[in-house]
Amino acid sequence: MVHPWVFVSVLASLPLSNAKQSGSSPLQLNTSSKSYGPDGPWHAVTVWLGSERTAIDLYPGGQYGSIILSDQACESTSSPCGSGGVFNGRNSITFDNHSIQYDAFKSNPVISWDTGALKYRGVAEYAMDRLAGDRDLHWTVQNLSIILASNISMVYPDGSRYPPQVGKLALGSPAVNQTFTADGPSINASLLTGSLEEQNQVSSSSYGLHVGSASLGPELSLWIGGYDASRITGLVSVQPIQDQWCVIDLLDIGIGVDHGGSPFSFTSRDRLLTDVSSSAPSISVTMDPSAPYLALPNSTCAAIAKNIPVTYQTKYGLYFWNVDDVQYQRIVTSPSYLSFTFRASGPSITRLVIKVPFKLLNLTLEAPLIDKPTFYFPCQPPQDSSTYSLGRAFLQAAFLGVNWDEEPPTWYLAQAPGPNTSSSPFQIDFGDNVAASSTASWNDTWEGSWIPLADNSSKPNQTSSGDSPNSSGSSSSKRGLTAGAKAGIAIGCAAIVIAVLLGIVFYRRRSPESLKPTGSSSSSPQAQFQHPVELAATGDRHRPVHELNAGRAQD
């Protein structure tokens, strides 16, 4: 399938067509002060809901209704269920769970969706209430469409159920409102981006998102009506929304090292996207910031795992890092990365490569999923579908933007920077002629956050990946010498000893004095692991914020 892709280096240079020339600046949502799991850590955004202005942390992502945990969702379980905040609609005078007469949902109020092998199942009701961007109500969305969950669980491959810590904040849709039609008049529930545009709070129904890293930085960045240009390094891929989703062709996955020595027995390796045929050498993947993992084919996860010290865990459908393996630390602290190559087209570029450092793929499972914190690699094959997606694990290293006002609606993908990114952006309006991406190179933004290996460092033996997703149990294979090899070594050693003894006897007969000690000794050289000096971090950089324009790019 051929996509009408365009590459641009400056998003703000897209011309206006039907955008509102109000001069409204993009609005930034507050990043949560806490991080969440149990498979992160992940940052969320903080919003204030209802007339009581209840502070609630939510993962940004998805379309239409925002999923909110009610105060009843965690009554039968303990913390950390709902640790990001729960909502009691009975305390809010602006809460409305009566106007929406969605008969099909009222007769069967079940919510259900899957992301890879992780399933979400629950009971909920459609409702509306006021959402505010801060407690002082500087901007609000009246009658926001919400799905209030009174019972919801994350279901893992073995059937184990765990309550979520936070819900999710939907980021608009091609429509301004979500319309519910029943026997009576239609009811319009507001959507975040479209409502703010209607109020002239922002100039377009759009958003720019970089999930960031809660453990390393930079923190999550979410802007409505624009984006933070410092969260973009390099070129930007622009493609149409497909059926409300950000879908793109993934051509390949590889392993590489940005600089320094390699922790692997190779410097780079590609062709790890193995679940493809010669007639269709790619798979379609969806960008889903509301999902945690890399939901990729069984064969792809297994191909990656063969090159890193991990063990597959059937219970979770995930890979655990073998932290006692010497290769583990070398991989997750060095400038090694997993590369994702996507289809693109343009005058000189046909592919877009996004690099995700293994340092970002060293995530943590926590209670209640597991008894003690455990580092894991977030590749999780879908169990019963061929729908593949890249969630927060990938979007730690990628910028995602959506402009619902385009015709057709358009989305943007680019490499995002590392921890060396300023946390004090300033805003740019449409009329300002500025560069839309960071001037720093990608590896500059990671400087000081990883430890390059010496170029001549020894390469350890590769550790196998344990059982593949198609096998039962989990183990790491250990390779040893065969019986024949051991016998051959023993025979060889015996022959050497005999030869030496014969030589000594022969030499002693010729020169008895030669057997006296000389006092000299020799030792064979041994490879030493070198610890390079950690580089200092660079200073903060200005981060201009741009608006995603409503017009299409012109030739």
Side-chain angles (χ1 to χ4, degrees):
M1 179 178 181
V2 178
H3 299 290
W5 300 49
V6 181
F7 260 82
V8 296
S9 59
V10 180
L11 288 179
S13 67
L14 295 177
L16 293 175
S17 58
N18 58 345
K20 299 178 181 180
Q21 303 265 358
S22 62
S24 301
S25 298
L27 296 175
Q28 183 180 23
L29 274 75
N30 292 286
T31 301
S32 60
S33 59
K34 298 192 298 182
S35 60
Y36 299 96
D39 49 16
W42 311 113
H43 270 144
V45 294
T46 303
V47 296
W48 284 258
L49 192 62
S51 60
E52 296 295 307
R53 288 176 279 187
T54 302
I56 296 180
D57 291 345
L58 301 170
Y59 293 139
Q63 301 83 35
Y64 292 103
S66 296
I67 297 179
I68 309 295
L69 304 182
S70 79
D71 59 323
Q72 301 171 0
C74 301
E75 285 182 344
S76 59
T77 186
S78 58
S79 181
C81 174
S83 56
V86 296
F87 181 67
N88 186 346
R90 299 180 297 276
N91 294 336
S92 174
I93 61 175
T94 52
F95 179 70
D96 181 0
N97 63 343
H98 299 293
S99 296
I100 298 176
Q101 299 297 320
Y102 191 22
D103 295 337
F105 191 76
K106 286 185 176 297
S107 62
N108 185 29
V110 173
I111 54 174
S112 172
W113 73 96
D114 299 347
T115 59
L118 181 62
K119 305 177 186 297
Y120 290 84
R121 301 291 184 266
V123 176
E125 64 176 340
Y126 276 103
M128 299 182 291
D129 209 336
R130 183 186 68 192
L131 176 140
D134 56 48
R135 187 167 178 80
D136 295 329
L137 308 181
H138 286 111
W139 61 264
T140 63
V141 174
Q142 303 294 330
N143 300 318
L144 181 77
S145 177
I146 63 176
I147 301 171
L148 191 62
S150 56
N151 182 2
I152 187 170
S153 297
M154 302 181 298
V155 185
Y156 278 81
D158 71 336
S160 300
R161 292 175 174 263
Y162 305 97
Q165 296 182 17
V166 297
K168 68 177 181 178
L169 177 67
L171 299 176
S173 82
V176 174
N177 300 309
Q178 185 173 10
T179 302
F180 298 88
T181 304
D183 294 337
S186 297
I187 300 297
N188 287 328
S190 299
L191 302 177
L192 179 63
T193 60
S195 175
L196 290 173
E197 183 189 24
E198 274 200 326
Q199 299 175 55
N200 291 325
Q201 293 279 357
V202 296
S203 296
S204 63
S205 177
S206 62
Y207 67 85
L209 171 66
H210 176 210
V211 168
S213 170
S215 59
L216 301 173
E219 68 178 20
L220 183 149
S221 170
L222 175 60
W223 292 79
I224 306 300
Y227 63 98
D228 182 349
S230 75
R231 298 305 179 99
I232 299 172
T233 60
L235 298 173
V236 182
S237 172
V238 184
Q239 49 278 325
I241 294 284
Q242 294 186 25
D243 193 25
Q244 304 166 19
W245 293 98
C246 301
V247 180
I248 193 170
D249 286 342
L250 177 62
L251 301 178
D252 196 13
I253 293 177
I255 292 175
V257 181
D258 185 75
H259 61 279
S262 173
F264 310 102
S265 60
F266 51 85
T267 56
S268 65
R269 176 162 290 173
D270 55 10
R271 301 179 66 85
L272 298 180
L273 184 65
T274 60
D275 192 24
V276 296
S277 65
S278 57
S279 60
S282 65
I283 61 172
S284 293
V285 294
T286 301
M287 301 295 153
D288 187 359
S290 67
Y293 308 134
L294 312 174
L296 294 169
N298 286 353
S299 56
T300 301
C301 290
I304 298 170
K306 287 179 181 178
N307 297 281
I308 58 177
V310 293
T311 301
Y312 183 73
Q313 301 289 333
T314 306
K315 174 180 173 65
Y316 305 98
L318 295 166
Y319 292 83
F320 286 8
W321 284 102
N322 299 333
V323 297
D324 294 330
D325 192 303
V326 65
Q327 195 184 12
Y328 162 71
Q329 282 292 341
R330 293 162 61 86
I331 291 174
V332 301
T333 60
S334 68
S336 59
Y337 57 82
L338 203 61
S339 63
F340 295 77
T341 302
F342 300 97
R343 189 187 307 280
S345 64
S348 59
I349 297 177
T350 58
R351 296 183 177 185
L352 172 67
V353 178
I354 303 289
K355 299 175 182 178
V356 184
F358 278 104
K359 199 174 183 74
L360 293 177
L361 301 175
N362 183 36
L363 296 167
T364 307
L365 289 185
E366 299 176 303
L369 266 63
I370 200 165
D371 293 335
K372 62 179 181 180
T374 301
F375 295 117
Y376 78 99
F377 175 70
C379 203
Q380 188 190 62
Q383 283 188 308
D384 50 13
S385 72
S386 59
T387 300
Y388 306 120
S389 64
L390 299 176
R392 290 188 294 273
F394 172 80
L395 292 167
Q396 293 178 103
F399 168 85
L400 173 67
V402 170
N403 191 342
W404 299 113
D405 280 348
E406 292 275 3
E407 185 57 47
T410 300
W411 70 281
Y412 307 79
L413 181 66
Q415 178 78 60
N420 277 346
T421 304
S422 170
S423 58
S424 301
F426 60 91
Q427 296 177 350
I428 300 298
D429 291 332
F430 272 123
D432 294 310
N433 183 19
V434 297
S437 60
S438 171
T439 57
S441 66
W442 176 74
N443 42 14
D444 284 344
T445 66
W446 277 94
E447 187 175 307
S449 296
W450 49 28
I451 305 175
L453 299 175
D455 285 329
N456 62 345
S457 62
S458 60
K459 306 292 192 303
N461 292 330
Q462 292 188 15
T463 304
S464 66
S465 62
D467 65 318
S468 71
N470 292 323
S471 62
S472 59
S474 60
S475 63
S476 295
S477 61
K478 299 179 180 180
R479 297 182 178 89
L481 294 172
T482 64
K486 292 178 180 178
I489 291 172
I491 293 171
C493 290
I496 291 172
V497 171
I498 292 171
V500 170
L501 290 175
L502 289 174
I504 291 173
V505 171
F506 176 76
Y507 191 78
R508 185 174 182 180
R509 288 178 177 177
R510 295 190 59 187
S511 179
E513 292 298 317
S514 64
L515 294 179
K516 294 181 180 179
T518 62
S520 65
S521 64
S522 64
S523 60
S524 61
Q526 296 182 2
Q528 301 292 324
F529 180 77
Q530 300 181 5
H531 297 273
V533 178
E534 185 171 349
L535 300 176
T538 60
D540 283 351
R541 300 177 176 88
H542 291 299
R543 306 192 323 177
V545 177
H546 299 271
E547 299 185 358
L548 293 173
N549 303 318
R552 294 288 295 168
Q554 301 295 320
D555 294 332

